[in-house]
Amino acid sequence: QVQLVQSGGGSVQTGESLRLSCEASVWNDGALGVCLGWFRQAPGKEREGVAARYSRDGMTYYSDSVKDRFNISQDNAKNTMYLQMNSLRPDDTATYYCAALRSIRCPPLTWNERISYTDWGHGTQVTVSS
C-alpha cells in the first residue's frame, strides 16, 4: 500500500500557473518503482487521467488535453512528484488527485484509467477563472 499526501492547488486566473505535489510513502524499492498518475474530476464529469510518470525511469505520459501545458517532475530524495500546470484555462477547473501503483512500469495502454491504480490521494481543488 502506498500512502499519498497531496499539496498545492488554489485559485488562479486564465493563463497563470500552479504546481501540485504528491508525496508517496513508498518509492523505488528493489525491482519496483511507483507509477504515479494525476487525475482530475470536474463536477458532473468522469474522473480523467491527465498525466503519469514512472519513478524509476521517468517515463511520462500526458493526455492530449494537457500535453504541452502540464509537466511532471520528481524529487527522489523527497519521494515526491510534481505536476506543473501552465497556461491554465477555465476548463482545467477540477479536483485533482494523484494515484499510485507499485510496479515495474506504468501500464502503457491504461495509465489514464482509474482501475490501474491501487492508492489515491485526498484530492486538491484547482479553480481557474476567466
Side-chain angles (χ1 to χ4, degrees):
Q1 186 175 9
V2 183
Q3 295 179 331
L4 301 171
V5 178
Q6 292 185 234
S7 60
S11 297
V12 296
Q13 301 284 325
T14 296
E16 294 183 341
S17 299
L18 279 173
R19 190 177 79 162
L20 307 181
S21 301
C22 183
E23 180 181 355
S25 60
V26 177
W27 205 240
N28 297 325
D29 182 11
L32 298 180
V34 176
C35 174
L36 198 139
W38 287 97
F39 288 74
R40 67 185 182 185
Q41 188 165 18
K45 293 190 175 181
E46 294 289 319
R47 193 169 295 189
E48 170 194 20
V50 297
R53 182 179 174 106
Y54 185 56
S55 63
R56 282 204 169 276
D57 62 11
M59 185 70 176
T60 305
Y61 304 84
Y62 296 100
S63 68
D64 288 343
S65 61
V66 306
K67 188 172 54 177
D68 299 327
R69 299 189 299 123
F70 290 13
N71 182 66
I72 292 183
S73 61
Q74 67 187 69
D75 185 337
N76 291 335
K78 297 181 179 180
N79 290 9
T80 298
M81 284 199 190
Y82 305 96
L83 183 67
Q84 177 68 39
M85 306 183 294
N86 301 319
S87 302
L88 283 163
R89 312 183 303 220
D91 61 357
D92 293 316
T93 296
T95 300
Y96 283 72
Y97 300 87
C98 61
L101 169 70
R102 295 193 70 207
S103 182
I104 59 173
R105 63 174 181 173
C106 286
L109 300 180
T110 60
W111 64 266
N112 59 342
E113 297 184 14
R114 295 180 64 173
I115 61 171
S116 294
Y117 298 86
T118 56
D119 301 282
W120 290 81
H122 60 275
T124 187
Q125 179 66 34
V126 171
T127 302
V128 186
S129 57
S130 57

